[in-house]
Amino acid sequence: MTDTATSLPTRTPGAVAGPRPPLARRRPTARARLRTVLKHAVLIAFGLIMIYPLLWMLASSLKPSALIFRDPSLLPSEIDMSNYTVGWNALSHPFSHYLLNSAVLVLGALLGNLVSCSMAAYAFARLNFKGRKIWFAIMLMSIMLPIHVVIVPQYILFSQLGWVNTFLPLIVPKLLATDAFFVFLMVQFFRGLPRELDEAARIDGAGHVRIFAQVMLPLSVPALATTAIFTFIWTWNDFFHQLIFLTKPDMYTVPIALRSFIDSSSESSWGPMFAMSIVSLIPLFLIFLLGQKYLVKGIATTGIK
Amino acid sequence: MAGIAELRKLRGSAPASIAPSERGDNKAALLFLGPWFIGLLLITVGPILASLFLSFTDYNLLQPPSWTGLDNYARMLDDARLHQSLRVTFTYVFVSIPLQLALALALALFLDRGVRGLPFYRSVYYLPSLLGGSVAIALLWRQVFGTQGLVNQFLGVFGIEGQGWVSHPDTALGTLVILNVWTFGAPMVIFLAGLRQIPEMYYEAAQIDGAGKVRQFLAITLPLLTPIVFFNLVLQVINAFQSFTQAFVVSGGSGGPVDSTLFYTLYLYQKGFGALDMGYASAMAWLLLAIVAGLTAINFVVSKYWVFYDD
């Protein structure tokens, strides 16, 4: 379990997923069957408690505001979409504006992390250069550094550059591979790829750029997908940086826009707020459905949430 | 989990052996590591040094920083809100993480042995981890534990009149603890992966020797799982100390009621980006670094006594 390369996506299919075969095959007795039923009952009940707040929010977003506080049931007696239309236009811009801002940010972060982190990872995994061990150690340590230690000087730097209220403070660091976690993830993955492949390419006269682009990257789809999925989720949810660097309503992203609903937290605004909360969760939910395989393996091997 | 193992082993051999044919790739390394290197310099190391410098100054962004020596650190000793924020954060970390990990382990064990529909259950339990850090969920929490929220509606069914949990200083932090425990799915997935790696033959041998389920758990599962427990512990502690969004949103940015949810990072934000007391905020950041590094180091030292490594 110390060697991630062997347990990264595709290396050991089913290492995380498939159910373990039962110890001994026996014909299920009535008692065993009862136990199975009980077990599932417990698992379903517990799962329902876990998910209930989410379902309740969804149901509430479809109820007239007055009913949210009186009727705890999940099935609205009548479906009312007005929370969505009201919420969409409740702030200074239509909600699509904030969705678009978040989308731009996510795309920029994706591009940055995928390109620069994989490049750095290639160097650590395959190149022999001076001080490699030391730089690698520094990279590992930078993963654990609390962002609060650097955020004040970063803010000063970016405000001097006139970058506050642009997306640059949020995208440029990603272009510079500051999400070292992904560098590490890909180093581990690259190490698991057979060396014979790049040796062969080298004999054929390929340089490092070609080996990287045409041999390593195509084989690294699982690692790249994991990076992309987690970059998406982190950037979409990243409230702290966006709160600090984006203060003009023009530049607001989804989390910052949602947060502005607090200021008008009278009872009548809960419905629209829930509606927009649901809208903000839809992209995460889609990523969850599409990327489950990578999500589970990524988290099992690296511990990123 | 390799990050931790890697650091543990770093003093040993090089990260990976390099074929002799690839000696002296300095130029190529410069190309491939270029962006990372610039980032390290400008976005990480430069700011670390600047932050250390600023922590000894008085700086409000408008006038140039003026050197005040250890004043900021001395101020910390008398800052009642800082002490409160430390209390809140330590309580949050030390209550929610054991609960979260215990729940994660319990469910992983429950799910591990031949449950049909495992992928489905795993997804359901994991989903909150994925969404938990979002503003939307924090807003939901504000409502669920509000005066007329879901929890009180539920209690109302039994004729119990609840209170406004998030607006009461005795319970507000508790609601955030629950929020963190609710995201136990991520460590659970890691535990499940760890359980998968325990060789089946150990259990078969134990069964032949007549060991019962409890004995098997104590003698095989638990010792072999300690590296994963350790990994989860280190990671969750580092993360929890930096929690911000939940407290900010639930308290509307104030850390209230009566500073009962004043997370350390929230207070740092208020000082630095609200009051523009950048020097003090920098000093606070260094205290945070010292705490996180200290706890991680303690974790590593103590781990020698309870973490069992197979290799």
Side-chain angles (χ1 to χ4, degrees):
Chain A
M1 58 201 68
T2 49
D3 181 12
T4 15
T6 56
S7 45
L8 263 180
T10 71
R11 310 294 303 165
T12 48
V16 181
R20 190 203 289 271
L23 275 180
R25 260 173 215 286
R26 263 185 247 124
R27 191 177 289 263
T29 60
R31 235 181 107 181
R33 213 174 289 149
L34 183 69
R35 271 182 62 171
T36 313
V37 171
L38 270 177
K39 202 169 183 180
H40 282 280
V42 171
L43 286 171
I44 289 170
F46 190 74
L48 209 61
I49 297 172
M50 292 277 299
I51 298 296
Y52 199 88
L54 291 171
L55 297 176
W56 181 80
M57 178 161 71
L58 179 63
S60 298
S61 75
L62 295 167
K63 289 177 191 172
S65 283
L67 273 184
I68 296 177
F69 302 100
R70 267 187 243 127
D71 176 16
S73 75
L74 286 185
L75 291 171
S77 45
E78 49 180 318
I79 295 225
D80 177 3
M81 294 299 285
S82 67
N83 285 330
Y84 283 84
T85 49
V86 171
W88 198 270
N89 298 304
L91 303 171
S92 60
H93 295 273
F95 209 75
S96 50
H97 185 88
Y98 311 122
L99 287 168
L100 196 67
N101 280 348
S102 273
V104 170
L105 213 53
V106 165
L107 281 178
L110 273 177
L111 180 78
N113 272 352
L114 288 175
V115 173
S116 57
C117 293
S118 62
M119 279 169 59
Y122 179 78
F124 282 124
R126 284 294 203 261
L127 298 179
N128 189 26
F129 55 92
K130 236 177 150 180
R132 176 165 158 282
K133 245 173 99 174
I134 295 161
W135 293 121
F136 188 72
I138 290 173
M139 191 273 292
L140 279 180
M141 284 194 293
S142 74
I143 294 173
M144 297 185 196
L145 184 78
I147 47 164
H148 307 88
V149 179
V150 289
I151 192 68
V152 166
Q154 275 184 16
Y155 180 81
I156 295 165
L157 171 72
F158 291 135
S159 74
Q160 301 264 331
L161 291 170
W163 286 6
V164 172
N165 278 311
T166 72
F167 295 142
L168 292 172
L170 300 154
I171 293 176
V172 169
K174 316 266 177 195
L175 291 167
L176 299 175
T178 46
D179 276 350
F181 214 109
F182 298 120
V183 177
F184 176 66
L185 181 115
M186 280 191 261
V187 167
Q188 293 291 351
F189 192 86
F190 288 165
R191 280 182 192 169
L193 296 174
R195 296 204 68 97
E196 289 78 14
L197 289 169
D198 17 335
E199 309 262 313
R202 178 177 294 259
I203 291 165
D204 289 347
H208 284 297
V209 175
R210 279 194 66 181
I211 293 175
F212 169 69
Q214 295 184 350
V215 179
M216 303 293 270
L217 283 189
L219 291 171
S220 307
V221 171
L224 295 172
T226 306
T227 299
I229 288 166
F230 281 101
T231 301
F232 190 111
I233 296 166
W234 285 1
T235 312
W236 193 265
N237 277 342
D238 173 24
F239 178 64
F240 187 66
H241 284 100
Q242 295 169 24
L243 178 70
I244 285 171
F245 289 116
L246 306 173
T247 54
K248 282 192 184 143
D250 255 0
M251 302 309 291
Y252 276 7
T253 50
V254 169
I256 310 299
L258 273 183
R259 183 240 150 175
S260 346
F261 275 101
I262 298 180
D263 303 332
S264 54
S265 65
S266 63
E267 267 192 29
S268 60
S269 68
W270 281 105
M273 190 195 81
F274 280 152
M276 290 308 104
S277 294
I278 293 288
V279 168
S280 80
L281 293 179
I282 288 173
L284 293 180
F285 200 72
L286 289 178
I287 287 285
F288 173 68
L289 290 180
L290 292 174
Q292 271 219 42
K293 190 173 73 172
Y294 297 122
L295 265 169
V296 166
K297 284 180 183 161
I299 197 169
T301 47
T302 62
I304 46 188
K305 266 198 188 181
Chain B
M1 58 206 71
I4 306 242
E6 200 73 32
L7 273 182
R8 193 171 63 87
K9 289 190 300 194
L10 206 65
R11 254 185 299 163
S13 59
S17 61
I18 290 284
S21 64
E22 291 186 24
R23 299 225 166 269
D25 291 322
N26 288 335
K27 244 188 223 161
L30 211 58
L31 171 75
F32 279 95
L33 276 182
W36 175 78
F37 202 78
I38 297 171
L40 184 74
L41 225 62
L42 293 182
I43 315 279
T44 308
V45 174
I48 290 176
L49 297 176
S51 153
L52 185 61
F53 167 75
L54 286 174
S55 77
F56 299 110
T57 67
D58 188 15
Y59 183 45
N60 61 5
L61 277 187
L62 309 169
Q63 283 107 23
S66 64
W67 186 265
T68 56
L70 287 169
D71 266 15
N72 287 325
Y73 294 95
R75 263 172 75 194
M76 287 179 175
L77 298 174
D78 301 318
D79 185 347
R81 288 195 83 204
L82 180 100
H83 302 164
Q84 170 65 8
S85 73
L86 283 171
R87 259 195 304 276
V88 167
T89 309
F90 271 88
T91 310
Y92 174 76
V93 172
F94 286 112
V95 175
S96 71
I97 301 232
L99 285 175
Q100 192 200 42
L101 292 187
L103 200 57
L105 181 57
L107 272 153
L109 288 168
F110 204 53
L111 283 174
D112 181 46
R113 304 227 126 202
V115 173
R116 204 174 288 183
L118 168 72
F120 171 75
Y121 290 123
R122 191 181 49 204
S123 297
V124 169
Y125 296 158
Y126 173 62
L127 186 62
S129 285
L130 186 72
L131 310 177
S134 65
V135 168
I137 295 300
L139 286 170
L140 170 65
W141 233 247
R142 229 168 111 92
Q143 220 303 312
V144 165
F145 289 97
T147 315
Q148 293 182 291
L150 185 60
V151 169
N152 285 347
Q153 284 177 3
F154 180 75
L155 290 175
V157 175
F158 301 97
I160 304 167
E161 197 170 324
Q163 49 165 328
W165 306 94
V166 283
S167 53
H168 196 286
D170 290 342
T171 51
L173 184 57
T175 65
L176 294 173
V177 167
I178 294 173
L179 176 51
N180 197 32
V181 175
W182 186 61
T183 63
F184 71 86
M188 182 196 76
V189 169
I190 302 173
F191 279 133
L192 274 171
L195 288 170
R196 278 295 124 83
Q197 300 195 3
I198 299 177
E200 192 62 34
M201 59 178 191
Y202 289 3
Y203 294 103
E204 281 159 14
Q207 227 173 24
I208 291 166
D209 289 347
K213 285 257 176 305
V214 176
R215 187 71 206 278
Q216 286 180 27
F217 172 73
L218 290 176
I220 302 172
T221 314
L222 207 54
L224 287 177
L225 214 55
T226 47
I228 316 269
V229 176
F230 173 64
F231 170 75
N232 270 330
L233 185 69
V234 170
L235 210 74
Q236 299 297 334
V237 166
I238 291 175
N239 284 340
F241 262 99
Q242 300 180 59
S243 300
F244 175 79
T245 309
Q246 305 89 320
F248 185 97
V249 173
V250 166
S251 71
S254 70
V258 212
D259 285 348
S260 60
T261 60
L262 187 69
F263 280 17
Y264 190 82
T265 53
L266 182 50
Y267 187 47
L268 191 154
Y269 171 82
Q270 288 181 357
K271 277 288 172 196
F273 299 92
L276 292 186
D277 197 346
M278 294 288 186
Y280 195 63
S282 299
M284 280 188 71
W286 276 87
L287 180 61
L288 177 71
L289 180 65
I291 291 172
V292 170
L295 280 174
T296 306
I298 290 173
N299 251 331
F300 268 84
V301 169
V302 174
S303 76
K304 281 193 194 113
Y305 300 99
W306 66 274
V307 176
F308 170 78
Y309 286 104
D310 216 359
D311 46 57

